[in-house]
């Protein structure tokens, strides 16, 4: 009955979709029941960067297209990092403060003269797509007439894209059948790719906005240590991409409503390991 109540007004986000495709049991505990978890310093640092960038653009809009000084950028970051101070040890906080005061001003100076000033910030969307309620929040949307470019800031390393290949669509059923144990990314495609497709589906089907997403940009805040270059992963979504992710959305939502929360069975899955321990202890009792 409790799960039924949770699912009454449930809306699917791309984060939930990613989690469900990886392991329905992890989705059940982390996204549905929302079991409390230890606070993560990387997550808190990322939030401080995101809030700082949002605030900088809000200040620009307030000043009619004029961006604030780099000193303002530093002070803004320090303010937001302090809001998350309880997520850090003293050593972690000092390190993250140094990192942010190095990374964010450099990123700002690199792009400030080329940034689009016609933007919407931290935009939330909720709509219904083929009978599935979906929702999401974008860091920044650059507007050019009816064309929209979604920008998603990433505080991780560009090397991580190799894990979530930006152009990694799922393999065909024929290709998958030849693999003894199909891996997540082979079966479902990369997370960055799916996020981009999901965002386009979400915005293009929002009746209150007459926008069409032309592309999705994953903007890495930290320059590559070797090349010293800033990286952007740009994804143009195809009709084929939309068809694949539409199927993932509909099938996952239907399975969630049907309460299909089986584990993935992987040895490194925390909740599958937990449930196996529960079963072993139950047998022992």
């Amino acid at each position: 009955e409790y799960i039924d109540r949770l699912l009454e007004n449930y809306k699917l986000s791309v984060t939930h979709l990613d989690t469900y495709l990886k392991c329905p049991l992890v989705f059940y505990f982390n996204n549905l029941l929302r079991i409390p978890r230890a606070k993560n310093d990387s997550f808190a640092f990322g939030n401080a960067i995101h809030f700082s960038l949002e605030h900088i653009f809000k200040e620009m809009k307030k000043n009619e297209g004029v961006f604030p000084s780099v000193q303002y950028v530093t002070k803004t970051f320090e303010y937001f990092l302090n809001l998350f101070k309880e997520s850090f040890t003293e050593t972690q906080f000092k390190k993250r403060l140094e990192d942010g005061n190095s990374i964010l001003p450099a990123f700002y100076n690199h792009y400030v003269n080329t940034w689009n000033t016609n933007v919407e910030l931290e935009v939330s969307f909720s709509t219904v797509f083929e009978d599935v309620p979906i929702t999401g929040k974008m860091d920044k949307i650059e507007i050019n007439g009816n064309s929209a470019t979604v920008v998603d800031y990433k505080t991780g390393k560009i090397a991580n894209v190799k894990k979530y290949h930006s152009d990694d669509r799922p393999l065909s059923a024929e290709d998958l059948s030849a693999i003894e144990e199909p891996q997540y990314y082979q079966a479902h495609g990369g997370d960055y790719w799916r996020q981009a497709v999901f965002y386009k589906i979400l915005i293009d089907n929002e009746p209150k906005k007459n926008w069409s997403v032309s592309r999705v940009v994953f903007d890495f805040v930290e320059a590559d240590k070797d090349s010293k270059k800033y990286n952007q992963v740009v994804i143009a979504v195809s009709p084929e991409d939309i068809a694949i992710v539409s199927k993932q959305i509909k099938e996952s939502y239907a399975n969630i409503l049907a309460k299909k929360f089986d584990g993935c069975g992987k040895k490194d899955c925390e909740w599958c390991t937990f449930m196996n321990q529960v079963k072993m202890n139950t047998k022992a009792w």
Side-chain angles (χ1 to χ4, degrees):
E1 291 177 357
Y2 175 65
I3 299 302
D4 285 338
R5 289 200 299 273
L6 291 178
L7 293 174
E8 276 180 6
N9 299 306
Y10 176 74
K11 296 178 182 179
L12 185 69
S13 70
V14 70
T15 303
H16 286 194
L17 177 60
D18 290 344
T19 305
Y20 188 85
L21 291 172
K22 287 173 185 172
C23 181
L25 189 61
V26 171
F27 168 87
Y28 173 76
F29 282 111
N30 288 353
N31 301 126
L32 199 57
L33 294 186
R34 298 183 182 181
I35 300 298
R37 302 173 63 79
K39 292 182 178 178
N40 182 294
D41 73 297
S42 295
F43 182 74
F45 177 72
N47 274 339
I49 292 287
H50 278 74
F51 286 138
S52 298
L53 287 166
E54 177 191 359
H55 199 75
I56 290 163
F57 272 87
K58 282 184 176 178
E59 190 70 11
M60 174 274 295
K61 288 171 75 74
K62 190 190 302 181
N63 293 321
E64 298 181 346
V66 179
F67 283 97
S69 67
V70 71
Q71 290 77 15
Y72 181 91
V73 172
T74 303
K75 287 182 179 179
T76 300
F77 170 72
E78 291 178 359
Y79 169 80
F80 282 112
L81 193 70
N82 270 286
L83 293 184
F84 297 102
K85 197 166 186 177
E86 63 179 20
S87 300
F88 305 94
T89 64
E90 188 175 339
T91 302
Q92 286 174 336
F93 183 81
K94 184 179 178 181
K95 176 68 166 56
R96 292 298 190 177
L97 184 60
E98 291 174 354
D99 289 345
N101 280 333
S102 171
I103 293 168
L104 196 55
F107 177 77
Y108 175 86
N109 285 330
H110 183 78
Y111 283 114
V112 66
N113 294 320
T114 59
W115 269 329
N116 187 336
T117 56
N118 187 16
V119 297
E120 296 285 340
L121 306 167
E122 295 296 319
V123 190
S124 295
F125 290 91
S126 287
T127 190
V128 177
F129 172 69
E130 297 191 9
D131 297 325
V132 178
I134 56 175
T135 187
K137 188 175 183 180
M138 289 76 178
D139 293 339
K140 183 174 71 174
I141 300 178
E142 298 175 347
I143 309 300
N144 183 14
N146 292 333
S147 177
T149 296
V150 178
V151 178
D152 190 84
Y153 297 118
K154 297 296 181 185
T155 52
K157 304 283 191 298
I158 184 66
N160 290 339
V161 179
K162 293 176 182 176
K163 294 182 188 176
Y164 318 112
H165 198 306
S166 63
D167 200 31
D168 185 14
R169 293 167 180 80
L171 296 178
S172 67
E174 184 179 347
D175 291 333
L176 280 174
S177 65
I179 300 173
E180 190 172 331
E181 293 184 6
Q183 297 298 308
Y184 168 76
Y185 295 106
Q186 292 169 324
H188 303 297
D191 287 356
Y192 280 35
W193 165 79
R194 189 182 308 102
Q195 185 179 353
V197 182
F198 191 98
Y199 281 171
K200 179 169 174 61
I201 290 172
L202 183 59
I203 296 176
D204 286 0
N205 288 275
E206 169 55 64
K208 295 177 184 177
K209 299 285 187 181
N210 187 28
W211 293 341
S212 175
V213 174
S214 58
R215 60 181 190 155
V216 177
V217 178
F218 295 106
D219 201 355
F220 287 81
V221 178
E222 186 175 358
D224 183 83
K225 286 188 176 180
D226 296 324
S227 67
K228 307 301 180 185
K229 292 181 179 180
Y230 284 93
N231 294 284
Q232 293 182 331
V233 176
V234 181
I235 300 177
V237 179
S238 70
E240 178 190 6
D241 295 331
I242 292 174
I244 294 169
V245 176
S246 297
K247 184 179 179 182
Q248 292 177 347
I249 288 171
K250 289 184 285 186
E251 289 182 352
S252 297
Y253 181 73
N255 288 334
I256 290 168
L257 293 189
K259 306 186 189 74
K260 293 183 179 179
F261 303 124
D262 295 331
C264 63
K266 293 180 180 177
K267 292 180 180 179
D268 60 348
C269 177
E270 58 176 338
W271 285 115
C272 286
T273 301
F274 170 77
M275 289 304 296
N276 286 335
Q277 291 291 335
V278 169
K279 290 174 184 176
M280 287 172 64
N281 290 337
T282 302
K283 289 179 180 178
W285 294 335

